[in-house]
Amino acid sequence: MNKSLILFLGVIALSCSSSNEDQNLGLITDNAMVVSARVEASAIGSAVMQQGGNAFDAMVSTELALAVAYPFAGNIGGGGFMVYRTNEGTYGGIDYREKAPMSAHRDMYLDQDGNVIPGMSTKGATAIGVPGTLAGLFEVHEKFGSLPIEQLIQPVVDLAERGVVVTQRDVNSFSYYRDDLVEANGENSLYTKEYKVGDTIKNLAFANTLKRVIKNGRDEFYKGETAKILSKFVMDKGGYITEGDLAAYEAVWRQPVVFNYKDIKIISMSPPSSGGVTMNQIFKMIEPYNIGQYEHNSLEAIQLFTEAARRAYADRNYFLGDPDFADIPLDVLLSDTYLKERFDNFSFDAATPSSEVSRGTIQVVESDETTHYSIVDQFGNGVSVTTTLNGGFGSKLFCEELGIFLNNEMDDFSSKVGVPNMFGLIGAQANAIEPQKRMLSSMTPSIVEKDNELYAVVGTPGGSTIITAVAQTILNLYEFNMGMQEAVNAKRFHHQWLPDEIILEATGYSDELKAALEAKGYSIRQGRTRIIGKVDAIKRLKDGRLEAGADPRGDDAAVGF
Ligand code: DON
């Protein structure tokens, strides 16, 4: 047995021995923890910290391990956002979101009559944005990392060579996407073979790609042999990513959105993600109402949250986009005066119809194809990361030679003003396609601070439902006094302005409550829904220990020490 395998098994054993019977209590550890979509990734991140690495080192390993253990969303062919808070109380964020290729233009997905060409921004090579993940990881490592990069990547090479055991949820997602995966890659591609629970999938090509990255660094992916292979693969398939596009890619450090809600401080991602701004608006609108005085998920609590979300989402689609390209009036959107006015017509008596809040049509399509992980290290640093290929397995295009899936993030742009994207979101000019621009995101990696100390690290996948899921998890902790796991388990609901309906998770809401909401004028959608987020979070307890919230809606797992 090699050394990393022994370490790996040791960490798994440690995590199992620390788990408990109470479904509402997460793993508790004294020092450090990773919570992610897969136990393999959490274990590798935790092991890095056990070797003396910090949360930023653990980020590099966890993110890469997710590309092996959770190829559905973990990636180096996509992008993401990270928000951090150091043990000194400083915070920041990094944007490693994909960019439009240089040849991109506003109407690239329209036919001669100006209609959106179905599938062109969602499937196959034409949907791919310039990947940002490795640029982000190297940038983070350079600024904050403490262990050598090979020590962070080698355990992932080992994992890719050793293989990952297929779970029932993996089987479900492979079979759900199988037709698309076969269409994109043929019958014999690594992820189109038929797998059953307990099989092991090794991704040897990815191990080789990572070995070259260890040797040549970031430039391997953006300027080296890997860049050549990747660009040729995408161009041969009819896409647009040139070697020049890869060479020009840079991750960007961004000032996060930071706001106070009562006596907590919330630090979340700024544009080109809409997450922080929209959550800030929601919290500020509800702040005067003391939502904690109502029962959790009671009529009043749901009304209050829903009305704030309705108004915040209406602003989201119109005003937000890549700040390097669009002027975003953040000072107005986040000002007390504006938000107070915006909520002036709220009443517990009746729903405010969305048609009276603004115009537009949006349909929600929920899914959970992104992935989030939270890390706190033994030094007290917190790291909150959401990363994505956009759809499940991204564009579905798998580059066999490199062992990676490629994103379909171009669909997060607004292909045509007024026409919804695959999440039903409609964009405006601020999110129109331009060369080298970043597409608007809903990803909301967040950190909460209380009494000048780290309080929680929170985030989730879920497309447009990400923002409401993160906000409700924070409210569950702070206003409804739940523990971390309990806050993650609690049933969630969602409203995003249009369509004008509240989505409720399939169970956990009484008929009386639904009838009461309908009597106030709310439309309810339940039954057809999948899940609203898959939250992976960490709470710092009063005594300094850490409690995990690993979402039971997926295979998510916490590992720590
Ligand atoms: O950046 C975004 O908002 C989307 N690409 C996130 C996609 C996502 O969460 C997929 N799962 N629902």
Side-chain angles (χ1 to χ4, degrees):
M1 246 197 276
N2 70 27
K3 210 171 116 210
S4 76
L5 180 56
I6 293 170
L7 183 62
F8 177 76
L9 294 174
V11 174
I12 298 261
L14 177 72
S15 88
C16 294
S17 64
S18 319
S19 71
N20 50 60
E21 298 295 300
D22 182 350
Q23 308 265 316
N24 263 333
L25 190 61
L27 174 70
I28 293 183
T29 66
D30 291 332
N31 301 295
M33 177 180 285
V34 181
V35 191
S36 82
R38 288 289 298 236
V39 67
E40 296 88 343
S42 299
I44 284 179
S46 174
V48 159
M49 295 190 288
Q50 232 163 4
Q51 293 161 28
N54 61 28
F56 302 97
D57 294 315
M59 172 188 172
V60 174
S61 307
T62 306
E63 175 110 10
L64 294 176
L66 284 166
V68 179
Y70 194 60
F72 185 65
N75 69 83
I76 65 168
F81 298 98
M82 180 271 268
V83 165
Y84 68 85
R85 180 185 182 280
T86 67
N87 54 6
E88 289 167 349
T90 56
Y91 36 78
I94 189 163
D95 159 2
Y96 55 99
R97 180 75 161 164
E98 299 91 324
K99 295 178 81 163
M102 292 184 210
S103 63
H105 56 93
R106 194 192 62 185
D107 298 335
M108 64 190 282
Y109 297 122
L110 305 185
D111 65 17
Q112 282 173 341
D113 300 326
N115 298 318
V116 173
I117 302 168
M120 198 178 171
S121 68
T122 55
K123 275 209 271 188
T126 52
I128 303 170
V130 184
T133 300
L134 273 175
L137 296 183
F138 271 88
E139 194 61 41
V140 168
H141 181 253
E142 192 174 312
K143 186 161 174 173
F144 292 113
S146 69
L147 296 182
I149 198 86
E150 27 323 343
Q151 196 175 335
L152 307 181
I153 302 183
Q154 188 58 43
V156 184
V157 172
D158 298 340
L159 178 69
E161 290 178 342
R162 186 168 69 237
V164 172
V165 177
V166 172
T167 68
Q168 183 61 55
R169 285 191 176 91
D170 292 334
V171 170
N172 298 348
S173 72
F174 291 142
S175 67
Y176 183 84
Y177 288 100
R178 189 172 151 75
D179 290 348
D180 286 341
L181 290 170
V182 169
E183 190 185 322
N185 307 299
E187 294 272 350
N188 289 318
S189 165
L190 185 61
Y191 293 101
T192 47
K193 293 181 190 136
E194 304 234 19
Y195 293 105
K196 51 187 191 317
V197 177
D199 286 349
T200 297
I201 304 181
K202 300 178 184 183
N203 188 344
L204 302 180
F206 188 60
N208 289 334
T209 301
L210 289 184
K211 284 179 194 166
R212 290 197 305 276
V213 171
I214 291 177
K215 188 155 161 246
N216 302 321
R218 169 202 190 281
D219 279 356
E220 171 61 32
F221 188 86
Y222 291 97
K223 295 176 180 162
E225 185 190 342
T226 302
K228 288 193 172 55
I229 297 170
L230 180 57
S231 169
K232 180 166 187 318
F233 175 77
V234 175
M235 301 291 275
D236 285 352
K237 295 276 185 190
Y240 313 111
I241 312 291
T242 63
E243 288 181 42
D245 283 317
L246 290 165
Y249 187 87
E250 297 285 349
V252 186
W253 292 98
R254 306 239 184 232
Q255 199 54 42
V257 170
V258 182
F259 61 96
N260 292 316
Y261 171 78
K262 301 187 177 174
D263 68 343
I264 55 175
K265 180 182 277 181
I266 298 174
I267 304 155
S268 190
M269 197 59 214
S270 50
S273 182
S274 59
V277 173
T278 308
M279 194 163 67
N280 184 339
Q281 287 200 327
I282 293 173
F283 272 96
K284 281 297 173 192
M285 284 189 252
I286 67 173
E287 189 173 31
Y289 290 83
N290 262 327
I291 195 168
Q293 71 180 294
Y294 306 108
E295 220 174 286
H296 177 255
N297 282 357
S298 61
L299 176 65
E300 293 84 356
I302 293 178
Q303 280 190 277
L304 192 51
F305 188 92
T306 295
E307 293 300 338
R310 181 200 306 281
R311 288 159 177 80
Y313 274 82
D315 280 354
R316 174 204 182 275
N317 289 7
Y318 188 76
F319 291 108
L320 302 187
D322 183 347
D324 297 343
F325 286 74
D327 277 332
I328 306 175
L330 280 191
D331 45 348
V332 178
L333 289 174
L334 299 179
S335 74
D336 289 346
T337 329
Y338 173 78
L339 292 171
K340 187 173 172 310
E341 248 177 56
R342 194 106 173 99
F343 214 52
D344 262 355
N345 61 350
F346 164 74
S347 158
F348 282 111
D349 295 342
T352 313
S354 284
S355 53
E356 286 175 19
V357 172
S358 195
R359 285 169 301 153
T361 47
I362 298 180
Q363 304 147 2
V364 65
V365 183
E366 336 68 30
S367 52
D368 59 336
E369 292 133 0
T370 298
T371 192
H372 176 86
Y373 55 95
S374 293
I375 306 178
V376 176
D377 67 22
Q378 64 276 32
F379 311 110
N381 302 300
V383 161
S384 186
V385 190
T386 315
T387 180
T388 191
L389 291 163
N390 195 20
F393 307 106
S395 63
K396 317 295 183 263
L397 206 54
F398 181 72
C399 178
E400 215 78 40
E401 196 174 348
L402 299 176
I404 65 174
F405 275 107
L406 293 155
N407 70 81
N408 60 344
E409 217 75 57
M410 290 295 285
D411 191 62
D412 272 350
F413 278 118
S414 140
S415 292
K416 182 180 178 181
V417 172
V419 176
N421 73 358
M422 67 183 227
F423 295 110
L425 292 166
I426 293 180
Q429 194 51 37
N431 191 32
I433 306 174
E434 293 180 59
Q436 295 206 289
K437 185 175 175 181
R438 290 170 153 92
M439 51 300 274
L440 183 63
S441 173
S442 300
M443 292 191 276
T444 314
S446 302
I447 293 191
V448 188
E449 186 183 297
K450 192 171 177 213
D451 303 327
N452 294 320
E453 294 200 338
L454 182 70
Y455 177 63
V457 181
V458 185
T460 183
S464 53
T465 70
I466 289 175
I467 304 164
T468 42
V470 171
Q472 284 168 33
T473 305
I474 295 172
L475 290 173
N476 290 349
L477 283 181
Y478 179 70
E479 291 281 11
F480 299 106
N481 301 315
M482 295 185 194
M484 189 71 260
Q485 187 63 52
E486 189 185 4
V488 167
N489 293 353
K491 296 298 170 191
R492 297 189 277 264
F493 59 92
H494 177 72
H495 193 292
Q496 60 170 36
W497 175 46
L498 289 166
D500 192 348
E501 62 187 11
I502 302 179
I503 299 172
L504 301 176
E505 277 194 289
T507 57
Y509 294 92
S510 70
D511 290 341
E512 289 84 339
L513 176 67
K514 287 182 253 178
L517 281 165
E518 278 165 347
K520 300 274 185 191
Y522 293 95
S523 305
I524 289 175
R525 174 137 75 93
Q526 197 178 21
R528 211 154 66 75
T529 66
R530 289 168 62 192
I531 53 182
I532 301 173
K534 207 151 67 72
V535 178
D536 283 339
I538 301 173
K539 180 184 181 188
R540 192 171 167 280
L541 304 175
K542 284 206 176 85
D543 61 9
R545 290 180 305 154
L546 305 169
E547 189 202 350
D551 206 317
R553 296 161 180 87
D555 287 330
D556 306 47
V559 179
F561 57 91

